[in-house]
Amino acid sequence: MPPIKPADLQKIGRQLANRHGKEYWRSLEALAEQPAFGAYLEQEFPRLAEIWNGPVDRRGFLKISAAAMALAGLAGCERQPPEYIVPYVRMPERLVPGKPLFYATTLSATGTGVGALVETHEGRPLRLSGNPAHPASLGALDVFNQAAILDLYDPDRAQTPLFGGEPAAYSRFEAEWRSRYTQLTRQRGRGLHVLTPPLHSPSLAAQLQALLAALPEARWYGHTPLERGGALAGARQAFGQPLEVRYMLERAVCIVSLEADFLGDMPGSLRYARDYSGSRGVHGKRQDSRLYVIESQVSITGAKADHRQPVPPSQLDPVARALAARLGLPVSPPVEQPVPDYWLAALARDLLTRQGQSVVIAGEQQTAAVHLLAHAMNARLGNLGRTIEYYQPPLPSPAQDLAELLAAIAAGEVETLLILGGNPVYDAPADLDLATALPQVPFAVYYGPYANETAAVCRWLVPAAHPLESWGDALAFDGSASPAQPVVQPIYGGIEPLRFLAELRGQLGAQPRQLVRDYWQSRYGDADFDAWWNGSLHDGVFAGMRASAVAAELRPDWNKALPPLPQRQGMELRFAPDPSLWDGSVANNAWLQELPRPLTKLVWGNAVLINPLDAAAAGIAQNQLVQLAHGTWSQQVPAQLQPGQPRGTVTLHLGGGRSAAGRVGNGIGVAAYRLRPAAQPWFTTVQLQPLPAEQQVITTQHHHRMQGREQQLARTTTLQELTAEAARAAEPQPSSSLYPEHRYNGYAWGMLIDIDACIGCNACVIACQSENNVPSVGPEQVRRGREMHWLRIDQYYKGGLEAPKVVFQPVPCMHCEKAPCEYVCPMHATTHSSEGVNEMTYNRCIGTRDCSQNCPYKVRRFNFLSYTGKDALTPAVIGTHNPDVTVRSRGVMEKCSYCIQRINRARMAAQKENRRIRDGEFTTACAEACPTRAIVFGDINDPAAEVSQLKSSRLNYAMLAELNTWPRTTYLPGVRNPNPEIARHEGQ
Amino acid sequence: MAQIFSRQANLLTRLVLASLVLGLPLAFFIGGAYYRSGWRTGQDVIRAQPVPFSHRHHVGQLGIDCRYCHTSVETSAFAGLPSTDICMSCHSQLWTNAEMLAPVRQSMAGDKPIRWRRVHDLPDFVYFDHSIHVQKGVGCESCHGRIDQMPLTRQAESLLMHWCLDCHRQPERHLRPQEAIFTMGWTPPADQLAQGRRLAEAHRLDRNVMVNCSTCHR
Amino acid sequence: MNGDAETDRPLARPPLLKPGQTYATATDQIAAIVLSRKTSKGWWLCFGLSSVLALGYLLGAPIIFSYGPGLFGINIPVAWGFPIVNTVWWIGIGHAGTLISAILLLLNQKWRNSINRFAEAMTIFAVIIAGTWPILHLGRPWFFYWLIPYPSTMGVWPQFRSALVWDFFAISTYMIVSIIFWYMGMVPDLGSLRDRARKRWQQVAYGLLALGWRGSVRHWQNYESAYLLLAGFAAPLVVSVHSVISLDFAISIEVGYHSTIFPPYFVAGALYSGFCMVLTILVPMRKVFGLEPYITLRHLDNAARLLLAAGLFVAHGYISEFFTEWYSGSTFERTLGWSRITGPYAFAWWITMFCNVLVVQLFWFKRVRRSPWTLWVLSLVINLGMWMERYVIVMTGPARSYTSGRWDVVWATLFDLATLIGSIGFFFMLMLLFVRFLPAISIFEVRELVREQKEEGAP
């Protein structure tokens, strides 16, 4: 993407400032096409240079002589190497070679438990999908937990204990610890300090409690980069006790989000997404539900909002007070706050008319004040107990924090330090310098999965086992507990957390399975425990183990707790969890690094997000390096001009700039933590200074406008238009042909994608990647436009740069009945199956690429170089390869196959029983992972099938129907439900 | 001046020209023949195995059912090779000291699996499923030949793609009744084609699906 | 008398040969280039230069074969790049030969006689190079032979609906026919070379190639009829080959590809670039080998006229294509049209217009048509223009395709440039070898001209 001159941007700003209606504005690059043009040519020559740093120079001349062989066509006749069959010595029970086995477990990549099913082949864990029986999943699974399967095989995981950086035997650690432990017990634990991330596992918490009980004078500190102290503090101020919140969005028809990204990074987002879309009655059958979002960043929740107000982070509090005042709460409204009055007034009226079915949600990262106000407003609106429940935090949390630990170290009190997980050296706030403090600790032990930044400054590293290698349990966002069971022996000899903690207490050789079992026996009781236990393991949930709701009374003097209004000064820097890298702990995961972030479409690195208008004012161009400075701290970050970014605010995502993540994650992006003050973890003031240098930001979509193709591409409408029948889409009927149309007698597979339900969360993209062996190709190839994702999410903007509306459109292969790709292939490599699936036969493909040239949707992907072989640029992780899907070699085309392997499996199963495949018997990987069930797949020849039902909607439309390709994948339009008052004001 | 070329030159030239005309097709023909031959396809080639297992003895003479060892043939894509304990279920009693069975005993004792050389090796991009064939009227013999007459196992058919297609295009020529699936030396009835069609009907075979590329290639 | 005939007889058609040529002089001079004349410095210079350039192609190709087409500047959506552009360009260049030899022969245009031989050679080398590009462009080139419909063990045939298969047939047919045509035409001359050769190896070599040509009446009879037949067979190819190539684009639905004007438009373009290349080689060659007596200004003039005609046709193509984009009213077409003149690839479009539409207008002036070196420079310009035209066609459509969310552009890599330039070097290398070792001008056909000239010249 070429840089854009500030001048152009002011022009754009003027053009688009208040433009409304259906026309989509041109993407920034497109607008500045002429000035950009010169820049394109400049870009050319670096690229020429790069190709030499590309694959070639690394390999010898041998390859070239091999090419001569290829020229002679000999490669075509080469034999397969001899293969061997190695049967079991004793066949494990219930294992049928060639058939997958599924186990239920619980994953917690984002800090709360989510139920998952693990697919294993001959004992090899292969794939993760959601557990329909689990309340936090209901069958869906988020990107982080899905991608965890890749970490299981990550060769960069710590493979042995390290002593001062040198490999050492675990027995040696045990010996050292035993002596130290006896001494500690003598001094009742004085000098022992334990640092942990927030706990989410009851059994583990119990172990820790036992340790601390055995050593009463030991001290326990907590640290997490995703600081959510505000939530509990707010609850304490409101109700006199810290309470966790459970929202019941399926009952809420008027939702106000005070920067609560409940579709994205909030705990329980999968469940909330399902409930939310349920409350909107997606798939065209719309109820009158409405979502208002006030936020200081760009989030997918904001993208789905019916009304969105971007405000600077410091202004959330004033806006919340203004709203509370309008709801008649005893709060003095601020003199000035950024949200226009008509907007708040309309919102307040909407809320008051829907008391008891509305909900005000404060974001996890908000201050106590905002949470307090949210609780008050919900109480005022009578939502408590109707759309909101409260429950006691089930697990103990540490009393002290990182700052106090540093003080203790400085005071020399810390003789022994146990860091149980996390990565504080990397993700501690900038003013807490652990890197220099930790080496002062005589005996520091880091227990974690990677030899990361923290391990580097500790005396001992004890490798932790992967969740799929460990016994355990976890609490979900709603306080319900579920078991976690290992599906494979520790591949790299990691130590299971329960065992480690038990051994710290001197219980050598403790059996984790026994520990977790005993814990739950103590909770459940002995009566028919075995049946309950086995049932729970099988279902993946502990039946009846859910934190019960408590009645919460708003304290009468709650408003006394409100702090004085924060003052706003200058440009504000908002920190946010990275939509693909979370807090950076998963930075070594190639799938996640290459996963296009929603809205920014960034991959392989982060950037400072700034509103194009602010950028123009500051003279900052796309890709230009910007110096972010806060006090004495500063970082140099490339700029990404982000429409919808609040004015006066820049966002920098956490999770970049790892130095010891591993071969994939090292040096990708910039570490936001180095700018983060401990006092204000989520936003701070910042000085921007454009530098005379450029660093290209890698994105997967360069163009975000529809060029007047709204009807052909991604349709949107409003509930008013629907009900007024105004927007009845005049569907261009497929023109009739001279030839008799083909009849599909057997099955006819088809897919429906509901743009209204799609929240752009990327779960489908990762699901597809792990199901279909889609390779990651690395930053250089993505920059050249060669990413391989079979399923992409196109995203278009509507409206001005300040607060544009966003449309997400997932685009897999359309499986056209009259497919343009098929007739141009000289090899019959892409053909039409008798069931209407557009097949891609890799072994017949010679790579002319004519099919892609002729595909109007550009959904085909090509192996331009070897992306999977031994000489691959980013070597594939063989362990996760799905044995039912061919691994594509260099030079072949590939694309979405409708998960043909699943279709075939289902068809064979049905044929063996001489029956038809039942609707819902199987579905594609993307549909399976989707939290809002926006993707529906099935047999459109079966009128009863859900997909046929939905396709019968009058809103159902085919992308680019006028090309007469007859896609099997069709869409339902996005439907917004604007508040009439606000709409009138905005002249829509 | 002296002639440059002798008389034979004419003949030579003609021969050269002729061989150009005839040679190319001939080379093509020979190449095709080689490509279809056992040298290339491995048909009828006997591979050395850790244990010289004789199907003729076990199937032909003892009459052990295929499924006794190939346990998953009816349920899974992979027919399954017997785990060592299946071998030992008999050979812990019989031929307990036979020299040729030493590898099996060692495998059991040392918990080391036996490495059998694969005889029927399809390319990795071909997805063959035993269970569906066995359940839809294709006999073991149709692809594996008279296994009961093989002292040492060999690949009975070429396994070339057009060989697969021959049957996928006209299954009725090979389908057999369910009870004959595992029998060797089954002789098709006089009205095989008619019966084959009846069976195809009963099995609800969809011929269009059977020749979809994605039926075997994914 | 000497100098151009026109100076003293302005109205008469200038002669095809410098006057004063006899059978003997003609034969001697032409044969001498091959047999006795010492290789000139100019030849060595050109040969050295072109073979150095050729390395880019001869080394680049194997590297690309071993690492894959990813070394070219291509991506999704723009999955076709330089290789396809080059294919079309080279095939175009390969068109002049057959036109001159076959069609002008059938039209009994005598002036062709002194230039047809090397024009055919040009064709063959150009087509051979063109043929390598689509293979170089493949993802798995070693399977290209699957395009041949032979009874394979897979029981699958190529898909005959695909234009790429027709391509394969078109190009290979064209290559075979032109080679036979070229060789047949040379046989009599090879005969005379054999007879005049003094060195043993020359006698043997040309002797073998001459296939025992004795120049007997019977030989001549067979020869003439066979040559005419072949000409008749080759003539349609001139039209068909590039039409088929154009269908790669025309039968697709991609914006900017799907256009019914392509076949005639491509053929015109082909002749255009073909004649350009003829001039590009003709002008220096007649100088270096002193062939002015046989390749006179009249030849250059005629070539230039043809060039002008083709140029106007091509211009018409551009106009109507642009008109259609606007007239279709399709938002896709219009966006593309606009992007062509203002978008990222605009530079290529403007270069095309300048070279192919503006520059060629100079050929209206006799002075330009008659000054060799001006022609030479202009021919280079137009060659560039024709390459750019193909670049525009191939790149702009996919870059601004239907799904605007997938718009993207790609730029040339080192390999794109090296192999393209290398292939040009390779081409000239072959041409130079040809000129050095085979009769670049048809001796016996020039003899015919001599006879005619005599008859004309007789008072």
Side-chain angles (χ1 to χ4, degrees), chain A residues 893-926:
Chain A
M893 190 63 70
E894 59 185 74
K895 64 162 193 66
C896 159
S897 66
Y898 269 173
C899 287
I900 190 73
Q901 64 280 11
R902 293 181 173 213
I903 297 178
N904 286 357
R905 198 186 300 143
R907 190 196 294 108
M908 282 190 254
Q911 274 181 338
K912 290 175 189 172
E913 300 164 21
N914 261 351
R915 60 169 174 85
R916 278 183 74 85
I917 300 175
R918 285 183 230 86
D919 185 37
E921 185 174 335
F922 79 102
T923 187
T924 59
C926 50

Short mmCIF file of all heavy atoms in Angstrom, two decimals, chain A residues 893-926:
data_model
loop_
_atom_site.label_atom_id
_atom_site.label_comp_id
_atom_site.label_asym_id
_atom_site.label_seq_id
_atom_site.Cartn_x
_atom_site.Cartn_y
_atom_site.Cartn_z
N MET A 893 -3.07 -25.24 -7.40
CA MET A 893 -4.11 -24.34 -6.94
C MET A 893 -4.90 -25.03 -5.84
O MET A 893 -4.98 -26.27 -5.81
CB MET A 893 -5.01 -24.00 -8.12
CG MET A 893 -6.00 -22.90 -7.91
SD MET A 893 -5.27 -21.30 -7.58
CE MET A 893 -4.56 -20.87 -9.17
N GLU A 894 -5.43 -24.25 -4.90
CA GLU A 894 -6.31 -24.84 -3.89
C GLU A 894 -7.38 -23.84 -3.52
O GLU A 894 -7.28 -22.64 -3.84
CB GLU A 894 -5.50 -25.26 -2.67
CG GLU A 894 -4.74 -24.13 -1.99
CD GLU A 894 -3.87 -24.65 -0.87
OE1 GLU A 894 -2.83 -25.26 -1.18
OE2 GLU A 894 -4.24 -24.45 0.30
N LYS A 895 -8.40 -24.33 -2.81
CA LYS A 895 -9.51 -23.45 -2.42
C LYS A 895 -10.46 -24.23 -1.54
O LYS A 895 -10.32 -25.44 -1.38
CB LYS A 895 -10.25 -22.97 -3.66
CG LYS A 895 -10.90 -24.14 -4.39
CD LYS A 895 -11.95 -23.65 -5.32
CE LYS A 895 -12.81 -24.79 -5.79
NZ LYS A 895 -13.60 -25.40 -4.70
N CYS A 896 -11.44 -23.50 -1.00
CA CYS A 896 -12.45 -24.13 -0.15
C CYS A 896 -13.09 -25.30 -0.87
O CYS A 896 -13.47 -25.21 -2.03
CB CYS A 896 -13.53 -23.10 0.19
SG CYS A 896 -15.08 -23.84 0.70
N SER A 897 -13.20 -26.44 -0.17
CA SER A 897 -13.76 -27.65 -0.78
C SER A 897 -15.10 -28.01 -0.15
O SER A 897 -15.58 -29.12 -0.34
CB SER A 897 -12.79 -28.81 -0.56
OG SER A 897 -12.72 -29.08 0.83
N TYR A 898 -15.70 -27.08 0.61
CA TYR A 898 -16.90 -27.43 1.40
C TYR A 898 -16.56 -28.58 2.36
O TYR A 898 -17.42 -29.39 2.68
CB TYR A 898 -18.06 -27.83 0.51
CG TYR A 898 -18.98 -26.69 0.10
CD1 TYR A 898 -20.01 -26.89 -0.82
CD2 TYR A 898 -18.86 -25.42 0.64
CE1 TYR A 898 -20.86 -25.88 -1.21
CE2 TYR A 898 -19.70 -24.40 0.25
CZ TYR A 898 -20.70 -24.63 -0.66
OH TYR A 898 -21.55 -23.60 -1.05
N CYS A 899 -15.32 -28.66 2.79
CA CYS A 899 -14.87 -29.76 3.65
C CYS A 899 -15.29 -31.10 3.06
O CYS A 899 -15.97 -31.91 3.72
CB CYS A 899 -15.40 -29.59 5.07
SG CYS A 899 -14.57 -28.27 5.96
N ILE A 900 -14.87 -31.33 1.84
CA ILE A 900 -15.30 -32.53 1.10
C ILE A 900 -15.01 -33.79 1.89
O ILE A 900 -15.76 -34.77 1.83
CB ILE A 900 -14.61 -32.55 -0.28
CG1 ILE A 900 -15.21 -33.62 -1.17
CG2 ILE A 900 -13.12 -32.73 -0.15
CD1 ILE A 900 -16.58 -33.27 -1.68
N GLN A 901 -13.93 -33.77 2.69
CA GLN A 901 -13.61 -34.97 3.47
C GLN A 901 -14.73 -35.27 4.46
O GLN A 901 -15.07 -36.44 4.70
CB GLN A 901 -12.28 -34.82 4.18
CG GLN A 901 -12.22 -33.74 5.23
CD GLN A 901 -12.02 -32.35 4.64
OE1 GLN A 901 -12.10 -32.15 3.44
NE2 GLN A 901 -11.76 -31.38 5.50
N ARG A 902 -15.35 -34.22 5.00
CA ARG A 902 -16.46 -34.46 5.93
C ARG A 902 -17.68 -34.96 5.18
O ARG A 902 -18.38 -35.87 5.63
CB ARG A 902 -16.79 -33.16 6.67
CG ARG A 902 -15.68 -32.72 7.60
CD ARG A 902 -16.05 -31.47 8.33
NE ARG A 902 -15.04 -31.14 9.34
CZ ARG A 902 -15.32 -30.56 10.49
NH1 ARG A 902 -16.57 -30.26 10.80
NH2 ARG A 902 -14.36 -30.27 11.34
N ILE A 903 -17.92 -34.40 3.99
CA ILE A 903 -19.05 -34.86 3.20
C ILE A 903 -18.87 -36.35 2.91
O ILE A 903 -19.78 -37.15 3.13
CB ILE A 903 -19.15 -34.06 1.88
CG1 ILE A 903 -19.42 -32.59 2.17
CG2 ILE A 903 -20.21 -34.64 0.97
CD1 ILE A 903 -19.48 -31.72 0.94
N ASN A 904 -17.67 -36.71 2.45
CA ASN A 904 -17.45 -38.12 2.10
C ASN A 904 -17.62 -39.02 3.31
O ASN A 904 -18.22 -40.09 3.23
CB ASN A 904 -16.05 -38.30 1.51
CG ASN A 904 -15.98 -37.76 0.09
OD1 ASN A 904 -16.99 -37.31 -0.45
ND2 ASN A 904 -14.80 -37.77 -0.47
N ARG A 905 -17.08 -38.59 4.46
CA ARG A 905 -17.20 -39.43 5.66
C ARG A 905 -18.68 -39.65 5.98
O ARG A 905 -19.14 -40.77 6.17
CB ARG A 905 -16.48 -38.77 6.84
CG ARG A 905 -16.18 -39.75 7.98
CD ARG A 905 -15.61 -39.03 9.18
NE ARG A 905 -14.36 -38.34 8.87
CZ ARG A 905 -14.01 -37.15 9.39
NH1 ARG A 905 -14.83 -36.51 10.20
NH2 ARG A 905 -12.86 -36.59 9.07
N ALA A 906 -19.43 -38.54 5.95
CA ALA A 906 -20.86 -38.65 6.27
C ALA A 906 -21.57 -39.52 5.24
O ALA A 906 -22.39 -40.37 5.59
CB ALA A 906 -21.49 -37.26 6.31
N ARG A 907 -21.20 -39.36 3.97
CA ARG A 907 -21.90 -40.12 2.94
C ARG A 907 -21.65 -41.61 3.12
O ARG A 907 -22.56 -42.43 3.08
CB ARG A 907 -21.45 -39.70 1.54
CG ARG A 907 -22.33 -40.30 0.45
CD ARG A 907 -21.73 -40.24 -0.92
NE ARG A 907 -21.56 -38.90 -1.43
CZ ARG A 907 -20.37 -38.30 -1.54
NH1 ARG A 907 -19.28 -38.95 -1.18
NH2 ARG A 907 -20.27 -37.08 -2.01
N MET A 908 -20.41 -41.96 3.41
CA MET A 908 -20.10 -43.38 3.59
C MET A 908 -20.83 -43.94 4.79
O MET A 908 -21.42 -45.02 4.74
CB MET A 908 -18.60 -43.58 3.71
CG MET A 908 -17.89 -43.52 2.38
SD MET A 908 -16.18 -44.04 2.49
CE MET A 908 -15.33 -42.50 2.37
N ALA A 909 -20.82 -43.18 5.87
CA ALA A 909 -21.53 -43.65 7.06
C ALA A 909 -22.99 -43.90 6.72
O ALA A 909 -23.57 -44.94 7.08
CB ALA A 909 -21.42 -42.61 8.17
N ALA A 910 -23.60 -42.99 5.96
CA ALA A 910 -25.01 -43.15 5.62
C ALA A 910 -25.20 -44.33 4.68
O ALA A 910 -26.10 -45.14 4.86
CB ALA A 910 -25.53 -41.88 4.97
N GLN A 911 -24.32 -44.45 3.70
CA GLN A 911 -24.47 -45.53 2.73
C GLN A 911 -24.39 -46.89 3.41
O GLN A 911 -25.14 -47.80 3.09
CB GLN A 911 -23.38 -45.44 1.67
CG GLN A 911 -23.73 -44.52 0.51
CD GLN A 911 -22.63 -44.47 -0.52
OE1 GLN A 911 -21.48 -44.78 -0.22
NE2 GLN A 911 -22.97 -44.09 -1.73
N LYS A 912 -23.51 -47.00 4.41
CA LYS A 912 -23.39 -48.30 5.08
C LYS A 912 -24.71 -48.69 5.70
O LYS A 912 -25.02 -49.86 5.85
CB LYS A 912 -22.29 -48.24 6.13
CG LYS A 912 -20.89 -48.14 5.54
CD LYS A 912 -19.85 -47.97 6.63
CE LYS A 912 -18.49 -47.65 6.05
NZ LYS A 912 -17.50 -47.29 7.09
N GLU A 913 -25.50 -47.67 6.09
CA GLU A 913 -26.81 -47.96 6.67
C GLU A 913 -27.92 -47.80 5.65
O GLU A 913 -29.10 -47.74 6.01
CB GLU A 913 -27.04 -47.04 7.87
CG GLU A 913 -25.99 -47.22 8.97
CD GLU A 913 -26.00 -46.05 9.94
OE1 GLU A 913 -27.02 -45.35 10.02
OE2 GLU A 913 -24.96 -45.84 10.60
N ASN A 914 -27.53 -47.67 4.36
CA ASN A 914 -28.52 -47.51 3.29
C ASN A 914 -29.55 -46.44 3.61
O ASN A 914 -30.75 -46.65 3.48
CB ASN A 914 -29.23 -48.85 3.03
CG ASN A 914 -28.61 -49.53 1.82
OD1 ASN A 914 -27.80 -48.92 1.12
ND2 ASN A 914 -28.96 -50.78 1.60
N ARG A 915 -29.09 -45.28 4.07
CA ARG A 915 -30.01 -44.17 4.35
C ARG A 915 -29.42 -42.90 3.78
O ARG A 915 -28.28 -42.87 3.34
CB ARG A 915 -30.19 -44.01 5.86
CG ARG A 915 -28.88 -43.71 6.59
CD ARG A 915 -29.13 -43.30 8.03
NE ARG A 915 -27.86 -43.17 8.76
CZ ARG A 915 -27.12 -42.07 8.75
NH1 ARG A 915 -27.49 -41.02 8.03
NH2 ARG A 915 -25.98 -42.02 9.43
N ARG A 916 -30.22 -41.84 3.76
CA ARG A 916 -29.70 -40.52 3.37
C ARG A 916 -29.01 -39.87 4.55
O ARG A 916 -29.29 -40.20 5.71
CB ARG A 916 -30.83 -39.63 2.87
CG ARG A 916 -31.22 -39.86 1.43
CD ARG A 916 -32.29 -38.86 1.02
NE ARG A 916 -31.76 -37.50 0.82
CZ ARG A 916 -31.23 -37.10 -0.33
NH1 ARG A 916 -31.11 -37.94 -1.33
NH2 ARG A 916 -30.79 -35.86 -0.47
N ILE A 917 -28.12 -38.92 4.25
CA ILE A 917 -27.48 -38.15 5.33
C ILE A 917 -28.53 -37.24 5.95
O ILE A 917 -29.29 -36.58 5.25
CB ILE A 917 -26.33 -37.30 4.76
CG1 ILE A 917 -25.28 -38.21 4.11
CG2 ILE A 917 -25.71 -36.47 5.85
CD1 ILE A 917 -24.18 -37.45 3.42
N ARG A 918 -28.61 -37.26 7.28
CA ARG A 918 -29.60 -36.41 7.96
C ARG A 918 -29.10 -34.98 8.03
O ARG A 918 -27.88 -34.73 8.11
CB ARG A 918 -29.86 -36.94 9.36
CG ARG A 918 -30.72 -38.20 9.38
CD ARG A 918 -30.99 -38.61 10.81
NE ARG A 918 -30.69 -40.02 11.02
CZ ARG A 918 -29.48 -40.52 11.34
NH1 ARG A 918 -28.51 -39.77 11.50
NH2 ARG A 918 -29.27 -41.79 11.51
N ASP A 919 -30.01 -34.04 8.02
CA ASP A 919 -29.61 -32.63 8.13
C ASP A 919 -28.97 -32.41 9.51
O ASP A 919 -29.47 -32.90 10.51
CB ASP A 919 -30.83 -31.72 7.97
CG ASP A 919 -30.40 -30.26 7.96
OD1 ASP A 919 -29.34 -29.98 7.39
OD2 ASP A 919 -31.13 -29.43 8.52
N GLY A 920 -27.86 -31.68 9.52
CA GLY A 920 -27.17 -31.43 10.78
C GLY A 920 -26.32 -32.59 11.26
O GLY A 920 -25.71 -32.52 12.31
N GLU A 921 -26.28 -33.68 10.49
CA GLU A 921 -25.45 -34.82 10.88
C GLU A 921 -23.98 -34.43 10.88
O GLU A 921 -23.20 -34.91 11.69
CB GLU A 921 -25.70 -35.98 9.92
CG GLU A 921 -24.99 -37.26 10.27
CD GLU A 921 -25.41 -38.40 9.35
OE1 GLU A 921 -26.51 -38.33 8.78
OE2 GLU A 921 -24.62 -39.34 9.20
N PHE A 922 -23.61 -33.56 9.96
CA PHE A 922 -22.24 -33.02 9.93
C PHE A 922 -22.34 -31.61 9.39
O PHE A 922 -23.35 -31.20 8.84
CB PHE A 922 -21.35 -33.86 9.02
CG PHE A 922 -21.55 -33.55 7.55
CD1 PHE A 922 -20.66 -32.75 6.86
CD2 PHE A 922 -22.67 -34.01 6.89
CE1 PHE A 922 -20.86 -32.44 5.53
CE2 PHE A 922 -22.88 -33.71 5.57
CZ PHE A 922 -21.98 -32.94 4.88
N THR A 923 -21.29 -30.87 9.56
CA THR A 923 -21.23 -29.55 8.94
C THR A 923 -19.77 -29.20 8.65
O THR A 923 -18.87 -29.95 9.04
CB THR A 923 -21.87 -28.48 9.85
OG1 THR A 923 -21.93 -27.25 9.12
CG2 THR A 923 -21.06 -28.27 11.10
N THR A 924 -19.57 -28.09 7.98
CA THR A 924 -18.20 -27.72 7.63
C THR A 924 -17.48 -27.17 8.86
O THR A 924 -18.10 -26.77 9.84
CB THR A 924 -18.20 -26.64 6.55
OG1 THR A 924 -18.91 -25.51 7.05
CG2 THR A 924 -18.88 -27.14 5.30
N ALA A 925 -16.15 -27.12 8.78
CA ALA A 925 -15.36 -26.65 9.92
C ALA A 925 -15.73 -25.22 10.28
O ALA A 925 -15.85 -24.87 11.45
CB ALA A 925 -13.87 -26.74 9.59
N CYS A 926 -15.96 -24.38 9.26
CA CYS A 926 -16.24 -22.97 9.55
C CYS A 926 -17.58 -22.83 10.26
O CYS A 926 -17.70 -22.13 11.26
CB CYS A 926 -16.23 -22.16 8.26
SG CYS A 926 -17.23 -22.87 6.94
#
